[in-house]
Amino acid sequence: MNVVFIGPPGAGKGTHATILSEKYSLVPLAAGDILRQHIRNKTELGRKAKDVIEKGELVSDDLVNSIIFHEIEAAFLQKKGVLLDGFPRTIGQAEALDKFLTGHRSALDAVLNFDTSEDMIIARLSGRRVCANCGANYHLRNPLLRPKKEGLCDKCGQPLTQRKDDQPETIRHRLETYQKETAPLIGYYRRKNILYDLHGDYDVNEFQDEIQTLFEKLKLTV
Ligand code: AMP
């Protein structure tokens, strides 16, 4: 099966993508994580994306499509489905994804819309910390995501930093970008009858239960 998570930054998509992809043996593909890895590795693509990401704007469709389609192909070769987190983010990306999947005799099974209040988004993003070395995510106030040693990554021991695009001004700009570019996808997928709304202010466990009930109802399996 192939699933898409749509929702504003800070809606908790990444946390749930990690848990669900393990449970359902899906390959999680987070466009933002892949782009940040390119920035850390100082690739040509990373150089092109860095300024755009730090301003809270969207990287071009062509660039994102090519990296994501490459990863989806790798997942399909392993006979696995994908859980797309933060892709597509524009109607152009969604149309290109449909075409790509049809060309691979595949399709999307469900699009989960994380409907989250602005207060919750600001609280989540302002407390988020990332490892500058390996990209692992933490949260200052969420007991499930707090690092074991303050300020240091559990996985590689390197210092944690705040993402430049998690500063208050940029958060606001990212939310505007979401409303303008990404929110129209809700109607796009609703018209295709594959959109399911989830209320994103629940705690992690309640939310997982809600998603699992939905998957069972839809009889979504690997
Ligand atoms: P995220 O980690 O999902 O919040 O993404 C961080 C940033 O990466 C976004 O604010 C965009 O600048 C860029 N980005 C991530 N996914 C996409 C996408 N599908 N299309 C364009 N830009 C993206």
Side-chain angles (χ1 to χ4, degrees):
M1 70 166 162
N2 301 306
V3 177
V4 164
F5 281 2
I6 298 187
K13 302 185 298 296
T15 307
H16 293 286
T18 309
I19 304 173
L20 276 178
S21 54
E22 274 173 24
K23 266 189 201 156
Y24 288 86
S25 199
L26 295 169
V27 175
L29 295 176
D33 285 350
I34 299 172
L35 290 166
R36 278 185 294 278
Q37 198 172 356
H38 277 276
I39 296 175
R40 281 197 299 280
N41 295 341
K42 299 192 173 16
T43 67
E44 180 60 28
L45 199 151
R47 263 190 294 276
K48 281 189 193 153
K50 188 168 184 287
D51 283 353
V52 181
I53 291 181
E54 287 180 358
K55 276 192 238 156
E57 286 167 10
L58 292 185
V59 173
S60 76
D61 285 356
D62 285 350
L63 198 149
V64 180
N65 291 348
S66 69
I67 57 172
I68 291 288
F69 294 165
H70 178 78
E71 299 290 335
I72 299 178
E73 250 158 12
F76 285 0
L77 280 176
Q78 298 173 53
K79 306 247 174 294
K80 286 193 165 190
V82 290
L83 196 166
L84 301 173
D85 158 16
F87 180 89
R89 257 172 151 111
T90 64
I91 295 284
Q93 291 175 17
E95 288 171 348
L97 176 64
D98 285 344
K99 209 165 148 195
F100 172 87
L101 291 175
T102 307
H104 286 72
R105 298 204 182 121
S106 190
L108 292 178
D109 296 283
V111 175
L112 273 48
N113 174 31
F114 287 59
D115 179 17
T116 309
S117 71
E118 199 162 317
D119 287 351
M120 181 62 88
I121 291 169
I122 308 267
R124 286 214 182 111
L125 293 183
S126 60
R128 180 158 72 182
R129 295 294 178 272
V130 291
C131 174
N133 180 49
C134 73
N137 275 286
Y138 297 90
H139 201 280
L140 300 182
R141 289 181 294 278
N142 181 340
L144 295 172
L145 295 172
R146 224 179 270 148
K148 292 194 181 81
K149 280 194 196 152
E150 200 185 317
L152 295 178
C153 178
D154 294 350
K155 292 186 183 148
C156 69
Q158 295 300 305
L160 302 182
T161 56
Q162 186 173 32
R163 278 170 47 175
K164 277 204 179 144
D165 61 348
D166 280 347
Q167 314 279 346
E169 262 317 296
T170 318
I171 292 177
R172 258 187 288 281
H173 190 47
R174 286 167 72 200
L175 290 174
E176 282 162 18
T177 306
Y178 174 79
Q179 285 307 334
K180 190 165 148 234
E181 306 280 357
T182 309
L185 290 179
I186 296 169
Y188 178 87
Y189 287 122
R190 209 183 289 288
R191 284 190 288 281
K192 289 179 181 284
N193 278 325
I194 53 170
L195 188 97
Y196 302 91
D197 293 305
L198 298 168
H199 185 57
D201 287 354
Y202 289 159
D203 80 15
V204 175
N205 291 330
E206 282 173 323
F207 211 96
Q208 276 296 315
D209 290 347
E210 199 189 356
I211 297 176
Q212 266 190 262
T213 308
L214 174 70
F215 276 23
E216 277 156 27
K217 200 173 103 198
L218 297 174
K219 298 200 180 9
L220 290 181
T221 53
V222 184

